[in-house]
Amino acid sequence: MWRQKLTGDYDIAVVGSGFAGSLMAMVARRLGHSVALIERGAHPRVVIGESSTPLSNLLLEELAIRYDLPSLRPLAKWGSWRKAYPGVTCGLKRGFTFHHHVAGIARVADPDRQDQLLVEASPRDEIADTHWYRADLDQLLVREAQKLDVVYFEETNLQRLRDYGSEIGLEGERNGQDMQLRAKVVVDATGPRGFIHRALQRGEGGIPDYPSTQALYSHFSGVRRLGDTRYSRTTEDPPYPIDDAAVHHVFDGGWIWVLQFNNGMTSAGVAATDEFALRMRFCEGQPSWFRVLDLIPALKEQFAEARVERPFTHIPRLSFRSAQAAGRRWVQLPSAAGFVDPLLSSGFPLTLLGVERLARIIEQTWETEEFSVQLQEYAMRTDAELLATARLVSGLYANMNNFPVFVALSLLYFGAASYSEAARRLGKADLVSSFLLCSHPEFGRESKRLLDRARYPLTEKESDALVRAILAVIDPIDVAGLGRLERRNWYPVDTNDLFDAAGKLGASCEEVAGMLRRCGFERETVRC
């Protein structure tokens, strides 16, 4: 039986309508291009990747301003999100909370705080980061894209990609009908091992010296706050409520995340080495989750009355690196080009940096010979940042049973992230051209050297020496007081740290004060 064919010609086809795909489609429309946004499934749907960061929110805000997307700007802060979109679920994220556990042993809080790491990201709720409840957020972004006349195709099964020289052909099926689209450029936003990876059979590049890991996760209701359990009581008040954060529970071989949303739902899951995952039999789903909880008494108490609200998802191969991130007329966003681990919430800033770079390439070199050259440069930068992230996460996995080194390695991330955010907010983005400052001539090189050392077993003496070396490397870019040992693993937001570090940013006291006021720090101490 002959079936009617669905056809169309576009400047840009974006495959995948998660937050990155929808954002890329909106930016492309604002640049004056015709855009098709193609989705294999339908919204709302739940996906992994839910915890934003200060740098992520800044990048989202910058894209919203540069490309005239005012509906997205409120999403950059907890307070403005709740005012503009009270019906779109999110979670309050004041910082990063880490707790170290020895499997099977009840945790008693160390009075010297050597079994925890708290890094505050904002001084109060109104300007805090957020956890993104993707079922709500992604659906909102698709609607916003459609308002800009992005042509949206959902429940579309793309099967083939054909290169016609001046165009790329996309072929598949939608609602029982053959579908054929053509575009001058195809942007893949479908995630690891997604559309272009399958259609072109490019294979995987592999991540050198990275452990094989798996993940198991779901959403829950009825989860208590960890701060209300007996395992978290301390004699001192932490910089922020420990649950209003991305909460990480670290143990030898893996870690567990707990993210709480304002609709009563909690996202929780475990990422771990193959050895641990096989021992816990992740492939069994829910029974495995309860076996893991039995090893962490604090979490077992926190989840004692929890209800599982959706089937568990098991990812048997968590990390991924595409063998090729761009071609002559196609390109993968960083979320499709590779993935490491959700441990440091690195997926969002990596992807938003990719959207920013790709937008500028389209804006500046569209339909010129330079366009394909820039796509290859984009691909190389994307791959370099993925590998830098993998080196750091690999070092963290290697030291989950050596928490002092784990903390110090984490400070490489927090040092680079806080320096990058401050520099960009001061209008000095040229100082921070790469994620984790991996292309920085001193910090990037020295970080790599230290992370290579961290992958091997360390004696106590070697661990102490490595911690001191890490703090020395961080010092020239430390704008958040991360080298202050008297803080004993609790790092609050203190504007004095920024004023003291103004010279590291090439900024004056007045410039720092102005930046803080623009960021909403009117209530905090602002000296000059």
Side-chain angles (χ1 to χ4, degrees):
M1 180 179 177
W2 179 258
R3 294 183 293 182
Q4 179 185 1
K5 290 185 177 180
L6 300 173
T7 62
D9 293 308
Y10 299 89
D11 291 335
I12 297 172
V14 180
V15 186
S17 66
F19 95 91
S22 294
L23 177 59
M24 189 72 244
M26 283 186 268
V27 169
R29 276 297 298 138
R30 283 302 197 202
L31 290 172
H33 297 287
S34 58
V35 182
L37 179 61
I38 306 163
E39 170 58 44
R40 186 174 187 174
H43 293 279
R45 46 87 188 281
V46 174
V47 296
I48 195 172
E50 301 160 309
S51 188
S52 186
T53 66
L55 182 57
S56 301
N57 288 333
L58 173 58
L59 291 167
L60 180 61
E61 185 177 47
E62 289 179 348
L63 287 166
I65 294 170
R66 180 175 178 86
Y67 297 104
D68 189 23
L69 299 168
S71 64
L72 303 190
R73 195 170 179 184
L75 300 172
K77 295 183 180 68
W78 161 264
S80 55
W81 179 317
R82 298 301 300 140
K83 290 177 182 177
Y85 299 109
V88 178
T89 302
C90 63
L92 176 61
K93 182 179 179 181
R94 286 282 303 277
F96 287 77
T97 296
F98 295 84
H99 292 292
H100 184 247
H101 302 267
V102 177
I105 298 178
R107 175 182 177 274
V108 178
D110 182 347
D112 201 37
R113 307 199 290 254
Q114 296 308 298
D115 60 349
Q116 58 186 280
L117 170 65
L118 271 62
V119 182
E120 189 175 31
S122 60
R124 62 179 188 278
D125 295 356
E126 292 89 340
I127 57 176
D129 302 328
T130 51
H131 303 311
W132 295 1
Y133 190 67
R134 296 288 297 278
D136 285 2
L137 178 64
D138 289 4
Q139 187 172 42
L140 169 69
L141 296 179
V142 167
R143 289 199 300 263
E144 293 300 316
Q146 289 176 288
K147 290 178 183 178
L148 298 179
D149 294 326
V150 170
V151 181
Y152 177 55
F153 299 94
E154 67 178 6
E155 297 183 329
T156 300
N157 182 19
L158 291 180
Q159 299 161 341
R160 289 171 296 280
L161 182 150
R162 301 186 188 277
D163 189 345
Y164 292 109
S166 61
E167 291 180 316
I168 294 289
L170 300 173
E171 300 176 1
E173 186 179 80
R174 182 172 186 256
N175 296 332
Q177 298 178 311
D178 290 334
M179 181 177 187
Q180 294 183 351
L181 300 178
R182 291 199 179 197
K184 295 176 181 177
V185 172
V186 175
V187 179
D188 184 0
T190 54
R193 304 178 183 91
F195 169 64
I196 283 181
H197 174 76
R198 297 191 303 269
L200 296 182
Q201 298 182 339
R202 284 294 193 265
E204 298 190 26
I207 301 177
D209 302 315
Y210 189 80
S212 296
T213 55
Q214 303 183 28
L216 179 71
Y217 63 91
S218 187
H219 279 183
F220 304 80
S221 60
V223 178
R224 295 176 61 187
R225 289 174 68 85
L226 183 67
D228 294 334
T229 69
R230 55 183 167 162
Y231 293 99
S232 64
R233 293 170 187 160
T234 63
T235 58
E236 302 173 86
D237 291 331
Y240 56 85
I242 60 173
D243 292 275
D244 294 340
V247 183
H248 308 69
H249 297 272
V250 179
F251 53 90
D252 190 10
W255 67 284
I256 294 167
W257 71 85
V258 181
L259 312 176
Q260 297 191 319
F261 298 102
N262 62 350
N263 65 348
M265 298 293 287
T266 296
S267 171
V270 53
T273 61
D274 278 357
E275 180 184 1
F276 183 88
L278 292 171
R279 181 155 43 95
M280 293 291 105
R281 301 193 296 278
F282 278 17
C283 60
E284 295 179 6
Q286 185 167 322
S288 176
W289 173 252
F290 289 109
R291 284 193 286 270
V292 173
L293 291 187
D294 284 339
L295 297 176
I296 313 293
L299 282 173
K300 188 172 183 178
E301 179 180 343
Q302 186 181 9
F303 280 78
E305 299 176 1
R307 296 175 298 279
V308 179
E309 294 294 341
R310 58 183 299 272
F312 275 82
T313 297
H314 173 220
I315 303 178
R317 286 191 300 153
L318 189 55
S319 62
F320 168 73
R321 178 189 176 203
S322 177
Q324 183 179 357
R328 192 165 55 90
R329 290 191 175 273
W330 62 265
V331 61
Q332 295 175 319
L333 290 181
S335 55
F339 182 77
V340 179
D341 193 280
L343 180 58
L344 295 173
S345 304
S346 58
F348 283 160
L350 282 169
T351 293
L352 287 162
L353 282 168
V355 171
E356 177 189 63
R357 291 166 184 164
L358 187 53
R360 289 184 182 271
I361 292 171
I362 294 171
E363 185 177 6
Q364 297 171 3
T365 68
W366 182 258
E367 293 193 318
T368 70
E369 292 183 359
E370 184 67 15
F371 184 78
S372 60
V373 175
Q374 288 298 311
L375 286 187
Q376 295 309 311
E377 173 64 23
Y378 161 93
M380 287 189 290
R381 293 180 72 179
T382 296
D383 192 55
E385 291 179 339
L386 175 74
L387 291 175
T389 304
R391 279 194 296 272
L392 176 54
V393 175
S394 178
L396 291 169
Y397 265 93
N399 289 279
M400 286 176 171
N401 64 339
N402 187 352
F403 199 62
V405 173
F406 180 96
V407 168
L409 293 173
S410 299
L411 297 185
L412 289 171
Y413 166 79
F414 290 113
S418 56
Y419 184 82
S420 297
E421 182 194 2
R424 292 182 74 109
R425 290 194 182 279
L426 286 165
K428 299 176 182 291
D430 57 299
L431 296 177
V432 290
S433 60
S434 58
F435 185 62
L436 295 178
L437 302 181
C438 64
S439 66
H440 190 282
E442 290 86 26
F443 183 81
R445 181 186 65 249
E446 290 303 304
S447 293
K448 183 178 183 302
R449 181 179 63 82
L450 294 173
L451 288 166
D452 287 341
R453 285 174 58 187
R455 287 191 294 106
Y456 300 98
L458 300 167
T459 66
E460 183 176 351
K461 183 177 180 180
E462 290 170 335
S463 296
D464 292 342
L466 181 57
V467 169
R468 290 194 299 271
I470 290 170
L471 293 178
V473 167
I474 292 171
D475 183 67
I477 55 101
D478 181 12
V479 299
L482 301 175
R484 295 179 59 179
L485 299 180
E486 71 273 16
R487 288 181 171 172
R488 294 181 294 137
N489 291 351
W490 283 5
Y491 296 97
V493 170
D494 185 342
T495 57
N496 290 323
D497 293 328
L498 266 173
F499 284 106
D500 292 340
K504 299 176 182 180
L505 293 157
S508 67
C509 177
E510 291 76 15
E511 287 176 308
V512 171
M515 180 265 285
L516 289 169
R517 285 191 291 268
R518 291 192 299 274
C519 294
F521 277 66
E522 294 89 349
R523 299 182 192 177
E524 284 65 50
T525 301
V526 176
R527 77 170 197 235
C528 200

